[in-house]
Amino acid sequence: MKEIKQAERRVALTPAGAQELVALGSDVLVEAGAGVGSGFSDDAYKVVGAQVVPAAEDVWQQSELLLKVKEPIEQEYPLIHADLTLFTYLHLAPDRAQTEAIVNSGATAIAYETVETADGHLPLLAPMSEIAGRLAAHAGAYFLQSPLGGPGVLMGGVTGVAPARILVIGGGVVGTGATRIALGNEGEVTILERSLERLHDLDQYFGSRARILMSDAIILEQELREADVVIGAVLVPGAVAPHLVTREMLGVMRPRSVIVDVAIDQGGCFETSHPTTHADPVFEVDGVLHYCVANMPGAVPVTATRALTNATLPYIRRLASVGVDAALAEDPGFARGLNVKDGEITYAPVAEAFAEGPSVGAW
């Protein structure tokens, strides 16, 4: 499928991945031009045995298993049908319109972001989280520049001048990636995390290079006062992100400081966030700059597409080989990816999001 979300150039399957599926006996349909943004020509798919078809409607109508990168958007809703299994990033919890469209279609929807391993890790979310975390640090450094609305602070400082202070809320894959890049740019980094086990891991990994603190409401407000860049890296798998930073709390932040809300796909962990695009990535609320691009890895589609296929292909092969029901039945972690089936929401955090709405201040 060729992605039509604004500035989205990733594709769900590389030619190498298509070749493996063809070898399994699957018919692989690729929309013309789908891979161009990621560096793959139509001929690259044709040479491995995939069929390149001219229009998106052809792929939607003729497919039993449809691979995408991003969730369907409004103009794609009418193309979803009951005989289809959709395998993509869905982020349903903050998106009622999309959820209703899939539920009403009768399609089966498996979300990359809620597939789990036996030990509770998120193998299909991790590669994009790693990329988004690294990009978050780059975005923070970029928008610190005064002509772009920032405070005019160089992330790494200079001889005799202090570096920028970077606050990372959440020490998972996103937070770790953001910290690595921010430290590489010689910023002064603080990570807030709630899991004691994860705090130990972060301490072993970063040591004295970063301040690693147990998060609570008082510590959070104290750190917000000192930060030049705040990166929201909190994840509650499949659920609406908690609003950890309220609008009132913006009042304690430095003028023209920068927020990067990586959790925006799940609704954002700042109360004042709303999704933005690569073409128009920032807005200001109460003197604080907000960067809330909802498909950050789409900025580096060559890297992101290869990383995504590396992660998803084993699951795609299983779906193609044994079918959806058998593939989910034999792997409980894979079954956690099932969000919608037969007109019903099957993933509890999504159902709870529509019943209760977003949480505020809870993490």
Side-chain angles (χ1 to χ4, degrees), residues 64-309:
E64 298 172 84
L65 172 64
L66 186 76
L67 307 176
K68 286 178 87 314
V69 178
K70 291 301 291 178
E71 71 283 350
I73 60 178
E74 186 175 0
Q75 53 263 53
E76 294 173 310
Y77 295 167
L79 300 173
I80 307 171
H81 55 86
D83 297 325
L84 183 71
T85 295
L86 182 63
F87 193 29
T88 186
Y89 291 113
L90 288 170
H91 302 292
L92 294 179
D95 191 343
R96 180 175 293 274
Q98 183 204 172
T99 303
E100 290 178 348
I102 295 174
V103 167
N104 292 338
S105 74
T108 297
I110 304 171
Y112 292 157
E113 71 271 12
T114 64
V115 172
E116 295 184 12
T117 59
D119 56 2
H121 291 136
L122 304 171
L124 307 189
L125 185 61
M128 297 305 101
S129 294
E130 185 177 0
I131 292 171
R134 295 181 183 211
L135 287 173
H138 286 302
Y142 182 67
F143 284 102
L144 282 172
Q145 297 178 73
S146 183
L148 301 171
V153 176
L154 182 64
M155 181 174 279
V158 72
T159 303
V161 180
R165 293 182 174 181
I166 317 302
L167 174 62
V168 179
I169 306 174
V173 175
V174 170
T176 300
T179 300
R180 285 185 60 180
I181 298 303
L183 289 173
N185 283 314
E186 301 184 351
E188 181 182 301
V189 182
T190 298
I191 308 172
L192 300 185
E193 173 57 53
R194 290 292 298 272
S195 164
L196 190 59
E197 180 181 3
R198 186 60 186 160
L199 286 167
H200 284 299
D201 292 342
L202 292 166
D203 185 64
Q204 287 187 341
Y205 188 79
F206 291 114
S208 61
R209 293 181 295 154
R211 296 171 68 236
I212 301 164
L213 304 176
M214 174 65 79
S215 182
D216 60 41
I218 294 174
I219 289 291
L220 175 59
E221 184 166 328
Q222 288 175 351
E223 295 301 322
L224 286 172
R225 292 178 184 275
E226 301 298 324
D228 298 296
V229 175
V230 182
I231 296 174
V234 173
L235 172 70
V236 180
V240 175
H243 290 160
L244 300 180
V245 178
T246 64
R247 180 162 191 167
E248 182 180 4
M249 295 166 74
L250 297 187
V252 308
M253 295 180 64
R254 292 180 170 180
R256 296 193 295 163
S257 54
V258 180
I259 281 171
V260 181
D261 196 344
V262 187
I264 195 63
D265 276 330
Q266 294 294 144
C269 57
F270 299 85
E271 185 181 13
T272 46
S273 291
H274 64 73
T276 61
T277 66
H278 289 290
D280 188 15
V282 295
F283 60 92
E284 185 178 314
V285 178
D286 296 344
V288 176
L289 204 63
H290 291 56
Y291 177 98
C292 304
V293 174
N295 60 327
M296 291 176 66
V300 288
V302 173
T303 298
T305 289
R306 292 181 182 276
L308 180 61
T309 297

Side-chain angles (χ1 to χ4, degrees), residues 7-54:
E8 182 54 72
R9 297 179 177 87
R10 288 174 288 178
V11 66
L13 193 68
T14 64
Q19 184 176 35
E20 291 199 29
L21 297 180
V22 169
L24 290 174
S26 299
D27 294 325
V28 179
L29 304 181
V30 179
E31 183 185 353
V36 171
S38 296
F40 303 118
S41 67
D42 290 346
D43 286 342
Y45 289 97
K46 290 177 182 177
V47 77
V48 300
Q51 303 171 48
V52 176
V53 297

